[in-house]
C-alpha cells in the first residue's frame, strides 16, 4: 500500500516524532508506514484521516489502483 | 530550556511504557526469587516439610501468573507495529521451542545423548530465540 504521509508531514513541517505523537504511535511505526514496510490498521488510518482532515483513500492508496 | 508540548506528550508515552515494563521486571524478579525458594528451600531451609513446600509452590505459581498479567499490560501499552514485532518473535520462540524441544527429548529417548534433557535448556532456547526474533523484527521495521 502506498501512502502520502511523508508528503503531508512535510507540508506541515512536522517531524516523524511529532506525527507519531499526534497519532499516539511510536516513531518507528511512522517510519515503517512511510517506507511501505508496514500497513496501518483501519483505526489508525481513520485517525490519520481525521488528523489531516482528509479521506483515507486520499492518504493511502492500494498499489493495484495506483 | 522549556519543553514543547510534543516533547512533554512523548515523555508521557515513554513513561507509560517504562512503568509497564518496570512492572514486568518486578514481577519477574519476585517470580525468580520464589522459584529459587521453592527449589532450594525444601533442602536448605525447611527440611522438605509438605505444608510449607506446598505454600512455596503456590506462591511461586501466583507470582508467575502475576508476571504473565504484567506482560499483558506491556503488550497493551504498545502500538500496533510493536505488537506485530512481539507476535513474530513470540511465534518464532514458541515454534522453535516445540520443534527443537521434541527432537531434543527424542535424542534422549533413542539414546543418542547420555544426559537427561532439562526444562532449563528449553527456557534458555526460548529466551534466546525470542531475543533474536525481537532483534530481527526491530531491524526489519526500523
Amino acid at each position: 500500500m502506498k501512502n502520502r504521509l511523508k508528503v503531508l508531514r512535510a507540508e506541515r513541517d512536522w517531524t516523524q516524532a511529532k506525527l507519531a505523537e499526534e497519532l499516539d504511535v511510536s516513531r518507528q511505526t511512522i517510519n515503517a508506514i512511510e517506507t511501505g514496510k508496514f500497513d496501518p490498521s483501519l483505526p489508525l488510518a481513520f485517525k490519520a484521516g481525521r488528523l489531516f482532515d482528509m479521506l483515507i483513500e486520499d492518504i493511502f492508496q492500494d498499489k493495484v489502483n495506483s | 530550556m522549556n519543553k514543547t508540548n510534543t516533547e512533554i506528550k512523548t515523555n508521557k508515552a515513554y513513561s507509560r511504557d517504562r512503568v509497564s515494563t518496570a512492572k514486568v521486571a518486578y514481577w519477574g524478579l519476585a517470580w525468580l526469587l520464589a522459584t529459587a525458594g521453592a527449589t532450594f528451600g525444601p533442602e536448605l531451609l525447611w527440611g522438605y516439610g509438605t505444608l510449607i513446600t506446598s505454600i512455596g509452590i503456590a506462591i511461586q505459581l501466583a507470582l508467575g501468573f502475576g508476571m504473565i498479567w504484567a506482560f499483558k499490560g506491556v503488550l497493551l501499552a504498545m502500538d500496533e507495529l510493536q505488537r506485530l514485532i512481539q507476535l513474530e518473535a513470540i511465534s518464532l520462540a514458541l515454534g522453535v521451542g516445540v520443534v527443537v524441544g521434541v527432537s531434543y527429548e527424542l535424542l534422549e529417548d533413542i539414546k543418542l545423548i547420555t544426559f537427561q534433557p532439562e526444562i532449563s535448556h528449553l527456557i534458555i532456547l526460548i529466551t534466546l530465540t525470542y531475543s533474536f526474533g525481537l532483534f530481527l523484527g526491530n531491524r526489519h521495521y526500523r
Side-chain angles (χ1 to χ4, degrees), chain B residues 13-129:
Chain B
Y14 281 138
S15 69
R16 188 183 60 200
D17 291 347
R18 271 204 304 268
V19 166
S20 54
T21 305
K23 278 184 184 172
V24 172
Y26 294 141
W27 278 101
L29 181 63
W31 176 77
L32 193 66
L33 292 174
T35 302
T39 304
F40 300 112
E43 183 183 351
L44 302 176
L45 296 177
W46 56 80
Y48 294 100
T50 306
L51 178 63
I52 195 163
T53 300
S54 302
I55 291 172
I57 294 291
I59 290 171
Q60 189 240 359
L61 260 178
L63 291 172
F65 281 114
M67 183 175 63
I68 293 169
W69 190 256
F71 185 68
K72 186 186 172 193
V74 170
L75 290 177
L76 290 176
M78 290 177 171
D79 70 26
E80 53 195 67
L81 175 62
Q82 292 167 329
R83 280 190 207 138
L84 176 66
I85 292 171
Q86 287 287 332
L87 176 69
E88 290 176 350
I90 291 169
S91 303
L92 180 69
L94 180 65
V96 170
V98 169
V99 171
V100 176
V102 168
S103 298
Y104 189 39
E105 175 66 24
L106 270 177
L107 287 178
E108 200 271 336
D109 289 345
I110 58 178
K111 308 301 178 196
L112 278 178
I113 56 174
T114 53
F115 54 91
Q116 180 72 31
E118 299 284 346
I119 190 71
S120 56
H121 299 162
L122 188 59
I123 292 171
I124 291 169
L125 174 69
I126 288 174
T127 304
L128 290 176
T129 313

Side-chain angles (χ1 to χ4, degrees), chain A residues 11-60:
Chain A
E11 285 172 358
R12 288 155 181 80
D13 199 22
W14 286 356
T15 62
Q16 286 186 338
K18 162 76 175 166
L19 180 56
E21 190 52 52
E22 294 295 334
L23 294 176
D24 197 24
V25 296
S26 62
R27 193 201 60 77
Q28 181 186 24
T29 300
I30 296 300
N31 187 59
I33 293 171
E34 284 186 359
T35 54
K37 290 179 180 173
F38 175 69
D39 291 334
S41 66
L42 205 48
L44 182 54
F46 271 116
K47 210 177 212 180
R50 279 196 301 273
L51 178 65
F52 293 116
D53 197 21
M54 297 171 75
L55 295 172
I56 289 179
E57 54 266 39
D58 292 334
I59 303 175
F60 302 97

